[in-house]
Amino acid sequence: MVAERVRCRGLQDRICSADAAASLIKDGMTLGMSGFTRAGEAKAVPMALAERARTEPLKITLMTGASLGNDLDKTLAEAHVLARRMPFQADPYLRNAINQGEVMFVDHHLSETVEHLRTRQLGPVDIAVIEAVAITEQGGIVPTTSVGNSASFAILADKVIVEINLSQPQALEGLHDIYIPTRRPAREPIPVVAPESRIGLPYIPIDPDKIAAIVLTEKHDSSSTVLPPDADTRAIASHLAEFMGHEVRHGRLPETLQPFQVGIGTIANAVMTGFIDTPFHNLTMYSEVLQDSTFDLFDAGKLDFASGSSITLSEARYQEVLPKLPDYKSRLVLRPQEISNHPEVIRRLGIICVNTALEFDIYGNVNSTHVGGTKMMNGIGGSGDFARNGFMSIFVTKSIAKGGNISSVVPMVSHVDHTEHDVDILVTEQGLADLRGLAPRERAETILANCVHPSYRDAMADYMDRAKARGGHTPHVIEEALSWHARLRETGHMLDDPAPSAANG
Ligand code: COA
């Protein structure tokens, strides 16, 4: 069994305990670890690190692909191991430590981290810890359910620790496509010309001498936390499907549409599942996280191919999909996040990008990360990579949050992740605002008419009237622009005198 997984001669001698492997990691080091949206993270070595931190001072900088599963971000934050963390997280405990100022969190576009490492604008990476299904005869590392930043971490690090996860199916071998952009000057174009393009190797090529330790594990990935569709997310999906139909009828999109990117979370997953009940067919995805919706669409015969950087599924779907991986394999590829999210490729393929906003404003600026303008939620993830470079940039959100105490459409966003220049379409359960070609005053009218919850419409119309009376290309009552957020902080509701329906959501 182990010989099938560690096939490179001589490397079996490096199999050791997680504690022994973790002892290579010293206080102050920078670690590059596998893991992308709860998929394919190294599982044993970080646990051993957290344990060690209980008895000795140990602070590290931790870089990953994106968020970790198995409560690892929580465990590491609780053990106070994390001095610095990048480029993404989604754990409530770590979120709290970040918002207390205890962990320095660098919220990075997911396509950029390894580019900055490669050019020494960041780093160096001392040790890479990578989960793998196998090490090939030549010492190549075969990742598991995510690629994320693993390839560049392993290539750039001084030493590599490999966690061979015996519970991950060997059928994963062959799924990955590892391509590293050539160095500048005279960098070559990235030759992805379709979601199904394979341009690299099925393993991470490294010098096997760099593999300092191999740890055997059996722990599963954590399941995703997305919730099933509800009435609001179904309404959002249906507005979007209707709009796509409109675009097809006007000859702006083919019936197969164009490759989709769909962001993380409950809303985006539900929106994609909604495409099952549409006439569109032979769809493709060029995305980063492949969620339940990807496999729902495969099973419904709607989706031809999906390219991503990780597979993150609910418990039920995990149990169904992993054993059937050989059936899906010819329609799937997992790439480094640098390639799945690369601006050059996103623009070339003409991706339709669907991401979720926490809030957006009357001019179309989007906040995806900061609650109340100050508290980090998860991070920008890949939404910026896609929103700026996509064929069509769509943001979805429910029109109200927290039982109606919060309007997700506000006069001015309290933090900007995506500027009005990057946002084409906004959708709430109320309707869809098509902002393409509109000037700010027109954008505001369209958003008010289509996206704002009825319980906030009068207040928003009043704000807009008074702003317009003052004039300006992008009218604002500037001293009032963030008053909804300030009022929420003071009174628990965004409105002065909420109507009962708003309080009840
Ligand atoms: N103000 C404060 N809180 C808000 C809010 C607002 N305007 N809008 C939503 N929320 C809260 C919800 O109430 C919910 O809180 P809970 O966890 O206490 O229930 C939480 O935010 C998540 O919202 P939900 O409606 O369940 O949406 P989601 O699971 O789809 O997540 C984001 C939404 C924005 C947090 C998530 O998509 C994200 O982190 N996006 C940024 C990264 C990204 O887009 N990556 C894309 C490429 S992978």
Side-chain angles (χ1 to χ4, degrees):
M1 176 83 162
V2 173
E4 277 175 23
R5 302 275 191 148
V6 183
R7 303 200 291 268
C8 184
R9 266 169 196 273
L11 281 190
Q12 290 196 6
D13 298 348
R14 295 182 208 169
I15 295 176
C16 65
S17 69
D19 288 344
S23 71
L24 298 170
I25 299 162
K26 309 291 181 208
D27 188 36
M29 277 187 168
T30 295
L31 241 64
M33 206 165 86
S34 66
F36 192 102
T37 51
R38 301 164 77 79
E41 78 279 348
K43 298 176 174 71
V45 172
M47 289 303 280
L49 264 190
E51 199 49 46
R52 242 178 78 199
R54 290 182 210 287
T55 54
E56 62 178 278
L58 187 58
K59 289 261 186 212
I60 61 162
T61 292
L62 178 62
M63 298 182 186
T64 56
S67 55
L68 302 177
N70 283 297
D71 280 340
L72 283 173
D73 266 323
K74 173 174 190 250
T75 307
L76 290 166
E78 268 177 344
H80 305 288
V81 178
L82 302 177
R84 192 169 277 273
R85 178 80 176 87
M86 66 188 298
F88 188 80
Q89 59 76 46
D91 177 79
Y93 190 97
L94 175 55
R95 185 179 296 155
N96 197 36
I98 290 166
N99 288 324
Q100 298 291 330
E102 188 194 322
V103 176
M104 294 297 114
F105 177 53
V106 185
D107 180 17
H108 222 206
H109 291 305
L110 294 190
S111 70
E112 263 186 5
T113 310
V114 295
E115 182 80 290
H116 282 195
L117 281 173
R118 191 177 296 129
T119 51
R120 296 197 305 268
Q121 299 177 74
L122 269 177
V125 177
D126 297 297
I127 297 189
V129 191
I130 310 293
E131 184 180 80
V133 270
I135 300 176
T136 66
E137 290 74 3
Q138 293 76 30
I141 300 171
V142 183
T144 58
T145 42
S146 69
V147 179
N149 283 325
S150 297
S152 289
F153 287 158
I155 289 165
L156 296 171
D158 294 338
K159 288 183 184 157
V160 181
I161 299 171
V162 180
E163 288 195 5
I164 298 285
N165 189 331
L166 301 171
S167 79
Q168 295 274 25
Q170 276 181 282
L172 284 165
E173 209 167 334
L175 195 64
H176 314 95
D177 187 56
I178 310 297
Y179 175 90
I180 306 292
T182 50
R183 297 275 174 146
R184 297 188 187 89
R187 175 177 282 189
E188 303 281 328
I190 297 167
V192 172
V193 293
E196 61 273 24
S197 295
R198 281 189 165 271
I199 60 170
L201 296 168
Y203 55 82
I204 302 167
I206 61 159
D207 173 0
D209 285 345
K210 280 207 323 188
I211 299 181
I214 299 171
V215 178
L216 303 179
T217 71
E218 296 204 27
K219 213 174 205 168
H220 288 188
D221 283 346
S222 304
S223 45
S224 77
T225 51
V226 297
L227 301 171
D230 60 20
D232 286 342
T233 55
R234 279 197 198 94
I236 293 172
S238 128
H239 296 316
L240 205 52
E242 197 185 313
F243 168 74
M244 291 295 162
H246 178 264
E247 292 300 288
V248 171
R249 283 192 298 282
H250 285 80
R252 289 190 283 265
L253 280 173
E255 266 193 4
T256 52
L257 304 181
Q258 275 177 205
F260 270 95
Q261 174 264 338
V262 190
I264 54 159
T266 297
I267 302 178
N269 185 59
V271 164
M272 213 51 213
T273 305
F275 275 95
I276 290 176
D277 304 317
T278 64
F280 309 116
H281 54 86
N282 301 99
L283 302 175
T284 54
M285 292 183 78
Y286 193 83
S287 200
E288 37 169 66
V289 189
L290 304 181
Q291 306 188 84
D292 284 13
S293 49
T294 301
F295 294 89
D296 296 343
L297 287 164
F298 272 142
D299 293 351
K302 288 281 179 186
L303 186 65
D304 281 359
F305 197 90
S307 164
S309 194
S310 79
I311 299 176
T312 305
L313 301 171
S314 64
E315 183 58 31
R317 277 317 237 155
Y318 191 84
Q319 299 298 347
E320 285 165 10
V321 167
L322 280 206
K324 285 204 313 196
L325 208 57
D327 299 343
Y328 291 112
K329 211 161 150 183
S330 61
R331 291 173 284 164
L332 281 175
V333 61
L334 293 185
R335 309 178 189 277
Q337 67 197 64
E338 183 183 20
I339 304 300
S340 64
N341 290 29
H342 204 288
E344 172 193 331
V345 179
I346 293 167
R347 186 58 66 92
R348 178 180 300 135
L349 300 190
I351 310 290
I352 299 172
C353 312
V354 185
N355 290 291
T356 310
L358 279 175
E359 61 178 10
F360 57 80
D361 69 25
I362 47 173
Y363 298 113
N365 299 289
V366 169
N367 170 13
S368 294
T369 56
H370 282 71
V371 173
T374 58
K375 294 220 162 94
M376 173 53 66
M377 178 65 115
N378 299 326
I380 193 166
S383 56
D385 293 323
F386 284 95
R388 168 65 55 92
N389 302 295
F391 167 80
M392 186 186 281
S393 178
I394 302 168
F395 281 88
V396 295
T397 185
K398 296 183 182 185
S399 67
I400 50 172
K402 304 296 175 204
N405 291 352
I406 296 175
S407 171
S408 302
V409 192
V410 289
M412 181 185 267
V413 283
S414 54
H415 173 93
V416 190
D417 291 297
H418 312 289
T419 74
E420 59 187 295
H421 313 286
D422 294 337
V423 179
D424 299 313
I425 311 286
L426 291 168
V427 197
T428 69
E429 78 291 347
Q430 302 294 322
L432 180 145
D434 180 355
L435 307 179
R436 294 171 300 173
L438 300 188
R441 286 167 186 250
E442 297 167 314
R443 291 165 83 98
E445 292 299 341
T446 306
I447 290 170
L448 174 68
N450 293 290
C451 297
V452 178
H453 191 270
S455 57
Y456 284 89
R457 253 178 226 155
D458 289 349
M460 190 66 91
D462 172 56
Y463 176 85
M464 279 167 49
D465 285 347
R466 287 182 295 110
K468 272 193 282 183
R470 283 198 183 180
H473 174 62
T474 304
H476 268 301
V477 182
I478 204 73
E479 66 280 13
E480 240 186 73
L482 293 175
S483 63
W484 292 24
H485 299 88
R487 201 171 299 115
L488 173 70
R489 199 170 168 275
E490 283 153 21
T491 69
H493 199 290
M494 278 190 166
L495 293 183
D496 246 343
D497 188 16
S501 61
N504 297 333

